[in-house]
Amino acid sequence: MMNVYGYIRVSSRDQNEGRQRLAFQKLAIPAKNIFMDKQSGKDFDRPAYKRMVRRMKQGDLLYIKSIDRLGRNYEEILEQWRILTKENGIDIVVLDMPLLDTRRGKDLMGTFLSDIVLQVLSFVAENERTNIRQRQAEGIAAAKAKGVKFGRPALPYPDNFQEIHRDWRRKKITLCQAADACGMPVGTFYGKARKLEKST
């Protein structure tokens, strides 16, 4: 008997998976057959996905909302598709792209067309991620050019820093003692000391 599954992936802990879950509820997929991972596509160590693949058997049906849920890049999407459909004998339906439905066109022409569509969509998905990263980098560069500061502001030097620094350089106290006296980690003290020395 065929079992129906749904797979959800959201790329961060705070991203809402509601859109994907709602689509699966409309298809009446049993809750126990909906698997979800909340982690970045870039590391792809997805425990729920792996559990789902182990549970599925030949003839089962998998729904995904969009093609990029299957992988982090063009090659990985194609590889996961090949494993699921060709090796495991599982049908896949991509809800955002009705052409990608392996239940239809089981003949040579249907498989050929499905493979072409898959390759084009996988390329487009990866290209869009690349474009997003490029736009983010360009935005950050433009903001920096305008003087926008990123990250936490640097902590000010404590009032006793120069005195402590001088004692440390004269070897009256150790690096650890100097850092403790300034109330900061050793690495922070050393970094600030180097910065002070370069500015004088």
Side-chain angles (χ1 to χ4, degrees):
M1 181 179 173
M2 179 190 75
N3 286 307
V4 181
Y5 294 85
Y7 177 66
I8 298 170
R9 179 176 64 78
V10 289
S11 57
S12 64
R13 292 285 173 185
D14 56 356
Q15 189 177 349
N16 193 328
E17 75 277 4
R19 189 174 67 95
Q20 296 175 69
R21 195 174 286 281
L22 182 62
F24 294 155
Q25 286 172 353
K26 289 178 180 177
L27 294 165
I29 300 174
K32 65 183 177 64
N33 286 357
I34 297 176
F35 290 77
M36 182 176 69
D37 284 305
K38 280 194 174 186
Q39 51 192 224
S40 169
K42 68 184 179 182
D43 77 20
F44 214 66
D45 178 25
R46 303 182 298 172
Y49 179 81
K50 290 175 180 176
R51 283 199 310 275
M52 180 188 71
V53 172
R54 283 196 300 269
R55 183 186 293 186
M56 287 190 298
K57 58 186 183 299
Q58 185 171 354
D60 284 347
L61 174 62
L62 171 64
Y63 283 96
I64 53 175
K65 188 76 172 75
S66 57
I67 192 63
D68 61 353
R69 300 303 88 189
L70 270 187
R72 57 189 165 182
N73 57 40
Y74 176 66
E75 289 81 11
E76 195 147 39
I77 291 169
L78 293 178
E79 176 67 5
Q80 292 301 317
W81 186 277
R82 185 190 63 77
I83 291 170
L84 291 170
T85 60
K86 304 287 195 299
E87 293 185 10
N88 297 358
I90 293 159
D91 277 316
I92 302 177
V93 176
V94 181
L95 296 176
D96 285 353
M97 180 52 61
L99 280 172
L100 285 177
D101 182 344
T102 60
R103 297 172 302 177
R104 299 184 307 169
K106 293 284 188 181
D107 59 0
L108 186 61
M109 182 56 73
T111 302
F112 176 68
L113 289 173
S114 182
D115 284 349
I116 288 176
V117 172
L118 172 65
Q119 291 197 38
V120 170
L121 286 176
S122 299
F123 173 78
V124 169
E126 182 177 2
N127 199 48
E128 178 58 21
R129 280 192 296 272
T130 301
N131 289 339
I132 288 170
R133 285 194 296 269
Q134 183 176 341
R135 288 195 293 269
Q136 287 172 337
E138 288 169 355
I140 290 169
K144 284 183 176 177
K146 291 179 182 176
V148 175
K149 302 287 186 187
F150 290 88
R152 292 181 295 182
L155 293 171
Y157 288 96
D159 293 337
N160 63 344
F161 188 83
Q162 289 196 346
E163 179 186 343
I164 300 295
H165 173 260
R166 189 168 51 247
D167 288 346
W168 170 59
R169 280 303 184 196
R170 290 175 179 170
K171 301 196 185 305
K172 291 183 178 178
I173 56 175
T174 66
L175 178 61
C176 287
Q177 289 171 331
D180 284 344
C182 291
M184 60 180 63
V186 170
T188 304
F189 176 85
Y190 187 77
K192 286 187 174 294
R194 296 286 294 166
K195 190 173 180 181
L196 177 67
E197 290 160 10
K198 285 179 182 176
S199 66
T200 54

